Amino acid sequence: MLLLRLLLRSGSPSLLPALNSRLPSLLLLALDGTLGIAGREPLQAPRRRPGRDLPAAATAMAQENAAFSPGPEEQPRRRGRQRYVEKDGRCNVQQGNVRETYRYLTDLFTTLVDLQWRLSLLFFVLAYALTWLFFGAIWWLIAYGRGDLEHLEDTAWTPCVNNLNGFVAAFLFSIETETTIGYGHRVITDQCPEGIVLLLLQAILGSMVNAFMVGCMFVKISQPNKRAATLVFSSHAVVSLRDGRLCLMFRVGDLRSSHIVEASIRAKLIRSRQTLEGEFIPLHQTDLSVGFDTGDDRLFLVSPLVISHEIDAASPFWEASRRALERDDFEIVVILEGMVEATGMTCQARSSYLVDEVLWGHRFTSVLTLEDGFYEVDYASFHQTFEVPTPSCSARELAEAAARLDAHLYWSIPSRLDEKVEEEGLGEGAGEEAGADKEQNGCLPPPESESKV
């Protein structure tokens, strides 16, 4: 800091470009002794121990100052927090005391698609088996009511269905009718009008069951949920300087060669808060800007990207220092959306970061290298970070310190224009004095000046 003041007092114009180029480094040096740097402790003057050479009053005062002075920084206690969104993207919310369960039946298709696979397969088998049994029982009742089962050996009798001699035969005929197999051994005759009506109903209902169940299974199989498993997020988020400003950053990547089309990223801050009126809002959601205004939230996700949230005046972390951030209780939910290139269906991948998973003063290790004719991504270091010098103060304090330093530079260093004007003024004054000295020494004035006189 003393060196910076000496440079400012010198007022040399040649130092202005150098100071402007080294302004972030000078700012970090100035903040080192006042605000502290992450990973380094500020320099402190050695304390003298009260001894016999000090008076008793000075010794007592030193003890009182030591009692009121802050001790070594203690590590904040980590409090266990229940996740709102798991690391794999599952939302940790369960619906309880839902009394209007009939609403699930109004959207039966979505209900079946959302079921687990074992329940979906069970419902698929039961849907076909029950319809076969139902229509098989009706075919057996028609044969039993007409007396076809009593005239099995009578060649003159015309039954409703040929070769239907029991419930098993009726069940097989129901399967052949609904699946349109038609082996030809059992066939309906034209002397049974009720059988013809039942045949039409089973054919129509069987087509509806096929369309419904095959549609459910197709949608369930083609769901892009498994595609989200190949979209990875970094295990930690980091806070460090980027272009002289504090930024909250995390990394995303795609493990597949088929890319996500129209990919976009969002971030939400989940934190309970209390209003001015005393209302408590649990799990309040606040947007974290990741480039919506500039278009940086729309990604070309071919290689891993570092998503940055600039901590400015509109950020909820504007006044959060390192110590305040570690003692806070929040969760950051990140959402990546896009269309699967192979199927065109919308895919969404989610993850979250708790307070323990936000590293202050860290930066992500580079994973992209240039090989012979291509770029290679090393996912082994995808989650790795390393420490960098970062102020421990809040973004607001950092901006105020930068503004004070800029104002001090502006008012302390004279501009080159002012210096040129001063030099020209001094040169003219020196020339006039030299002319006067020559006249006083007996030198004749130039002829031009004589003619003018």
Side-chain angles (χ1 to χ4, degrees), residues 151-159 162:
H151 299 81
L152 296 177
E153 304 296 334
D154 190 356
T155 57
W157 180 264
T158 304
N162 291 328

Side-chain angles (χ1 to χ4, degrees), residues 69-350:
S69 62
E73 183 178 356
E74 297 180 357
Q75 294 294 333
R77 295 182 179 179
R78 302 297 185 184
R79 294 173 293 176
R81 189 184 193 280
Q82 184 64 48
R83 286 186 179 272
Y84 190 63
V85 176
E86 299 291 342
K87 296 293 287 185
D88 58 358
R90 293 184 295 106
C91 296
N92 196 13
V93 178
Q94 296 183 0
Q95 312 296 336
N97 296 327
V98 180
R99 299 180 179 179
E100 299 177 352
T101 55
Y102 65 90
R103 296 181 180 272
Y104 293 104
L105 299 178
T106 57
D107 190 10
L108 184 59
F109 185 83
T110 305
T111 302
L112 294 177
V113 171
D114 291 340
L115 289 177
Q116 298 180 357
W117 267 107
R118 57 178 179 272
L119 297 178
S120 297
L121 293 176
L122 178 62
F123 191 85
F124 184 84
V125 173
L126 289 178
Y128 284 103
L130 291 179
T131 53
W132 295 338
L133 287 173
F134 175 74
F135 284 102
I138 296 178
W139 285 114
W140 180 81
L141 289 176
I142 291 176
Y144 180 79
R146 284 173 49 88
D148 295 343
L149 300 178
E150 300 176 356
H151 299 81
L152 296 177
E153 304 296 334
D154 190 356
T155 57
W157 180 264
T158 304
C160 182
V161 179
N162 291 328
N163 301 318
L164 196 152
N165 53 8
F167 181 78
V168 177
F171 177 70
L172 293 176
F173 180 72
S174 174
I175 296 175
E176 295 174 10
T177 302
E178 189 168 337
T179 57
T180 65
I181 295 176
Y183 291 112
H185 182 65
R186 282 174 288 269
V187 60
I188 190 173
T189 61
D190 56 356
Q191 301 296 325
C192 184
E194 61 271 23
I196 297 175
V197 174
L198 182 60
L199 179 64
L200 294 176
L201 290 177
Q202 187 174 4
I204 295 173
L205 186 60
S207 300
M208 294 176 62
V209 171
N210 287 331
F212 188 81
M213 297 309 302
V214 172
C216 287
M217 297 303 294
F218 175 77
V219 172
K220 193 170 183 63
I221 292 173
S222 60
Q223 275 185 327
N225 295 337
K226 298 302 180 182
R227 180 63 178 91
T230 55
L231 298 174
V232 292
F233 296 87
S234 59
S235 58
H236 292 81
V238 298
V239 177
S240 62
L241 288 175
R242 175 174 280 190
D243 296 331
R245 298 181 180 181
L246 284 176
C247 295
L248 173 70
M249 294 171 284
F250 58 93
R251 184 151 60 184
V252 296
D254 189 1
L255 302 179
R256 287 189 178 272
S257 300
S258 59
H259 308 302
I260 297 294
V261 182
E262 296 292 334
S264 62
I265 190 75
R266 291 182 294 141
K268 291 280 188 179
L269 175 65
I270 309 297
R271 180 170 55 184
S272 302
R273 74 180 188 93
Q274 190 171 7
T275 63
L276 298 177
E277 296 78 11
E279 179 187 3
F280 179 74
I281 304 177
L283 301 178
H284 178 71
Q285 300 183 9
T286 306
D287 282 332
L288 296 179
S289 177
V290 289
F292 178 78
D293 298 334
T294 59
D296 293 337
D297 62 327
R298 293 182 288 274
L299 310 178
F300 181 54
L301 197 58
V302 178
S303 61
L305 300 176
V306 176
I307 310 301
S308 174
H309 163 66
E310 182 179 338
I311 304 178
D312 52 9
S315 173
F317 300 116
W318 173 243
E319 298 182 356
S321 62
R322 178 180 182 180
R323 181 178 299 180
L325 192 70
E326 291 175 349
R327 294 180 178 178
D328 203 348
D329 187 13
F330 62 85
E331 181 177 355
I332 299 174
V333 178
V334 292
I335 305 170
L336 176 63
E337 294 179 332
M339 291 188 300
V340 181
E341 187 179 24
T343 61
M345 301 185 69
T346 303
C347 172
Q348 185 182 92
R350 299 179 293 266

